[in-house]
Every structure is written in C-alpha cells, then in structure tokens.
Amino acid sequence: MSKSLVLSFFLTMIFGISAYSQTESSYNSDQHITRLEKGVLLVKLNTQSKKLNYLQKFGQNKKIEKLKKEIEKEHSQIRSAFKKYYSFSKVFFFYSDNAKEIIEDQNWDLLLDSGNDKIDGEQPVYFAYLQKPDWYAQSDAYFFIIHSYEDRQVIRLKRPFPFYRSTKSANLFKRTDYYRSIEKLQKSLVKFKNKERVR
C-alpha cells in the first residue's frame, strides 16, 4: 500500500475525511440556495431490495414481512414529514431501485406522485439522501444529506450551505424523528437564504 493511501486511511479514521476526492460543484453556497429555491428536490426512499432478496434466498418469510412493514412505515413518515414541514422548493420522491435511471438517464417518469407537475429540464435539480455520513463517527446515525445535480453527476454540498440534518430523535425512547429533522432542515434553509439576501 502506498504512503498516500496509508495517510488517507488514517485521516479518514481520525478526522472523518474522505480518502477520495469528490467532484467540485460549479456553484458557491450563495448560488445554491437560490438554485434550490427555484428548483426541485428529489428525495430517495431506500427500498433495501438487496437485503430483502437475501432474506428471500433463505426463506426468511417472517423477517421479510417485518422488514417490509418497517420500510413502508419509514417511507410514509418521510413523505409525511416533507409534506408537513418542507416548502422551500418543489419536492418529488423516488425509490432507490430507480436511482441509476433517474441520475444517468434523467428518467423523470420514475418519480412518484409527479402528476401533472413535471420537471421542465431547465430547473436546477437537487437530491436528498437518507444515509450515514462519512464524517460522523456514530455508526447508527442517519442524516438527510442534500446533493447538487450537475452534468448528470450527484455532488455533495459543503458548508456554509446547510446541506444536512440528523434524523436522531430528541426523545430518548425514540430512535429517529423524520418530522423534527425536516422541520429543522426547512428552517435552516430559510435562515440561510435570508442571511444571504441581507448581504
């Protein structure tokens, strides 16, 4: 292993720095807040298909049914949270199974509940993923993380743009709270927008 890879590995372990460089956005934070407000946010709903297929392979029917119910509950809560608290931009949802076609082929027909409201091709597009951040040491912590979509590439945003919010619940007896997370995301975006406009 080369010295640079060894150094990257230790930096990642100690500081949470990614060992691989990421494509840079063409826009700064001031531009992103304006673009997001005028654009659309595509929220990925994780289907856990690989895990379900694995359980199916070994005939774990009870575990499959339990997991399906958990996934349906998660999807329902996420969509409900965005409907209740998020108004900063237009928002659409899609299943993780369709991510490749949406990102690489721009197949917007795979978006859920789009109805007559379509992406016109000129609007800025952003993605929101529910994932474990690489900069956070706690292994079971999930965040909504916003990414910019540029030239058919998904690029994670950077501070000072408020691009992430934890889903951790304030209730000790509750693991996640999507409603609290999206409410805080909405407020942080509005606050950042107003701050940028004052300048």
Side-chain angles (χ1 to χ4, degrees), residues 124-155:
V125 175
Y126 289 79
F127 284 88
Y129 293 164
L130 177 62
Q131 60 187 144
K132 296 179 182 179
D134 56 16
W135 68 84
Y136 198 69
Q138 190 173 332
S139 61
D140 63 343
Y142 278 85
F143 287 64
F144 281 107
I145 304 176
I146 298 178
H147 302 70
S148 176
Y149 182 61
E150 303 169 33
D151 297 324
R152 305 199 184 199
Q153 292 189 70
V154 178
I155 304 169

Side-chain angles (χ1 to χ4, degrees), residues 150-170:
E150 303 169 33
D151 297 324
R152 305 199 184 199
Q153 292 189 70
V154 178
I155 304 169
R156 193 172 74 195
L157 301 180
K158 296 180 179 180
R159 287 294 191 184
F161 190 90
F163 68 92
Y164 63 90
R165 276 293 171 265
S166 171
T167 63
K168 187 176 181 180
S169 174

Side-chain angles (χ1 to χ4, degrees), residues 22 24-25 27-33 133 135-136 143-148 155-166 181 184-193 195-196 199:
Q22 187 177 355
E24 294 289 330
S25 173
Y27 307 94
N28 60 36
S29 294
D30 297 15
Q31 293 169 321
H32 276 303
I33 198 68
W135 68 84
Y136 198 69
F143 287 64
F144 281 107
I145 304 176
I146 298 178
H147 302 70
S148 176
I155 304 169
R156 193 172 74 195
L157 301 180
K158 296 180 179 180
R159 287 294 191 184
F161 190 90
F163 68 92
Y164 63 90
R165 276 293 171 265
S166 171
S181 178
K184 291 179 71 175
L185 176 64
Q186 168 71 20
K187 288 180 178 179
S188 65
L189 291 170
V190 171
K191 182 178 179 180
F192 187 76
K193 179 195 72 171
K195 180 182 177 181
E196 293 306 322
R199 291 182 180 180

